[in-house]
Amino acid sequence: MENSVALTVNPVGHALAHHTGAAARYVEAGLTGAPNTARAYAAHLKRFSAWCTEHGFSALPAPVDALVGFCTHLAEAGKKVGTLEQHCAAISKAHAVRGVDSPTDDKQFKIFMDGVRRVHGVRQKQAPAFTLAQLKQLVRSLDVQTVTGLRDRAILLLGFTGAFRRSELTALNVQDLRFTEECLVVSLGKSKTNQLGDYEEKAIFYSPEPAVCPIRSLKAWLEQLERSEGPVFVMLRKGNRLTTNRLSDQTINTLVQRYLGLGYTAHSLRASFVTVAKLNGADDSKIMNQTKHKTSAMIRRYTRLDNVQQHNAAKELGL
């Protein structure tokens, strides 16, 4: 248990430990990162600490042999390379917090990880994208005579057209929305790619078909809320009764899977936006203006163009 405590306590490294008051608060914020990341890191560190305790290693500072053994254990248990890399990131952060050298920086360990990637491969399972036709058919089928139908239609359409992460959808407040004659402007707070809270906006545009229009759908939902501030998307009690409780990230994920199928996730809303936009000829800069990605490389990673019949230059040979 001593290892576990060592990994999660003492939020500042030795070089920064003398700071107190406001300075200490800023230092801790710089080291901690986003809440979702901090929770994931805590879980990864708990697993690493337990393994080290079982095998007689120190978890902090951890020797290279301990990290190699732990990662071998994960790889042999069928964990993906991405999972190993997430654990390594957490272990590296824990060592940085304590101001000690991390075994993840060791050259021999990096060679080991290259070997793991070669043996197991690095292809990640990605949330699939749906087509625009699929989304329209689904949305048209929703019973918008019910409060649930109104809410879920707004979530699906806004999530797709705004390329929102599920955490961004759940964090939306009514006061973040500004309606104009041309579009809806959504103000964003902090996000995965905006940890410092720089001012960012997304624009959502009207659709000529009212039934699949994200702005009209959102307005219809807001009429049910009857409030000028607070969370946009809230939980419902039995009988479609509104609450003031903000939806959770997992609820958004479950909602998407209920309508699109278990193979999809909330991330499919964002991936589908990128894919549909690319298929319709949008350049990366326009897509990045909506997704808030920082590089074109991330756009390529998000694009789901693996349908060999749908996206293939062989169709353009002119034979």
Side-chain angles (χ1 to χ4, degrees):
M1 297 302 295
E2 181 180 348
N3 283 337
S4 179
V5 173
L7 286 167
T8 56
V9 176
N10 190 8
V12 295
H14 297 312
L16 301 172
H18 66 279
H19 291 292
T20 59
R25 178 163 58 91
Y26 295 139
V27 170
E28 182 174 354
L31 289 169
T32 301
N36 286 348
T37 301
R39 285 192 290 270
Y41 278 11
H44 298 331
L45 293 172
K46 183 177 180 181
R47 177 180 288 181
F48 178 60
S49 175
W51 187 92
C52 286
T53 298
E54 181 182 350
H55 293 83
F57 287 106
S58 166
L60 186 66
V64 176
D65 286 348
L67 189 55
V68 168
F70 175 66
C71 288
T72 299
H73 163 72
L74 293 180
E76 293 299 300
K79 301 298 182 182
K80 297 179 181 179
V81 173
T83 300
L84 272 67
E85 292 173 339
Q86 291 167 12
H87 281 77
C88 289
I91 292 165
S92 176
K93 188 64 171 282
H95 283 70
V97 166
R98 291 296 295 272
V100 295
D101 292 337
S102 172
T104 57
D105 296 328
D106 183 85
K107 291 182 179 179
Q108 294 301 313
F109 176 72
K110 291 181 178 181
I111 292 174
F112 162 80
M113 282 300 295
D114 284 342
V116 172
R117 294 184 184 96
R118 288 179 180 276
V119 172
H120 293 281
V122 295
R123 182 177 177 86
Q124 296 181 345
K125 182 180 179 181
Q126 296 179 313
F130 48 78
T131 66
L132 190 57
Q134 280 180 281
L135 179 64
K136 286 184 175 181
Q137 182 178 5
L138 164 61
V139 169
R140 293 185 190 116
S141 70
L142 294 178
D143 184 4
V144 293
Q145 300 302 313
T146 66
V147 177
T148 300
L150 285 173
R151 183 198 65 181
D152 294 355
R153 179 179 66 170
I155 289 174
L156 292 169
L157 288 173
L158 189 67
F160 168 70
T161 57
F164 283 100
R165 300 179 178 89
R166 55 182 173 176
S167 59
E168 293 171 341
L169 285 173
T170 58
L172 277 183
N173 292 311
V174 179
Q175 57 267 35
D176 298 329
L177 310 175
R178 178 166 58 89
F179 294 92
T180 72
E181 291 185 2
E182 295 182 349
C183 66
L184 161 68
V185 179
V186 181
S187 300
L188 300 177
K190 291 183 179 180
S191 68
K192 183 177 180 181
T193 54
N194 180 25
Q195 293 296 318
L196 300 182
D198 293 334
Y199 186 74
E200 289 185 335
E201 292 180 330
K202 293 192 178 194
I204 313 298
F205 296 91
Y206 286 92
S207 167
E209 182 183 345
V212 296
C213 176
I215 298 180
R216 294 183 181 90
S217 297
L218 182 59
K219 284 183 174 180
W221 166 244
L222 293 177
E223 288 178 4
Q224 296 294 319
L225 282 184
E226 296 183 331
R227 63 173 71 108
S228 59
E229 60 182 22
V232 173
F233 297 117
V234 297
M235 300 182 68
L236 303 174
R237 294 192 183 96
K238 289 183 178 180
N240 282 329
R241 290 181 296 167
L242 291 168
T243 73
T244 57
N245 299 326
R246 193 182 299 273
L247 285 183
S248 67
D249 291 3
Q250 184 55 48
T251 305
I252 297 289
N253 200 63
T254 301
L255 183 150
V256 170
Q257 291 181 330
R258 181 167 73 245
Y259 290 116
L260 288 165
L262 295 178
Y264 293 90
T265 71
H267 198 65
S268 296
L269 297 173
R270 189 166 163 85
S272 298
F273 169 88
V274 176
T275 302
V276 172
K278 289 292 288 185
L279 286 172
N280 287 341
D283 63 41
D284 287 357
S285 63
K286 290 183 178 179
I287 295 174
M288 289 163 63
N289 198 30
Q290 190 76 323
T291 64
K292 305 307 177 187
H293 283 119
K294 305 303 181 185
T295 66
S296 293
M298 288 303 297
I299 297 301
R300 290 192 293 272
R301 178 179 173 184
Y302 268 65
T303 306
R304 309 295 192 259
L305 296 178
D306 52 359
N307 186 326
V308 71
Q309 298 180 61
Q310 181 184 34
H311 190 70
N312 197 318
K315 295 168 59 177
E316 303 171 14
L317 294 177
L319 291 178

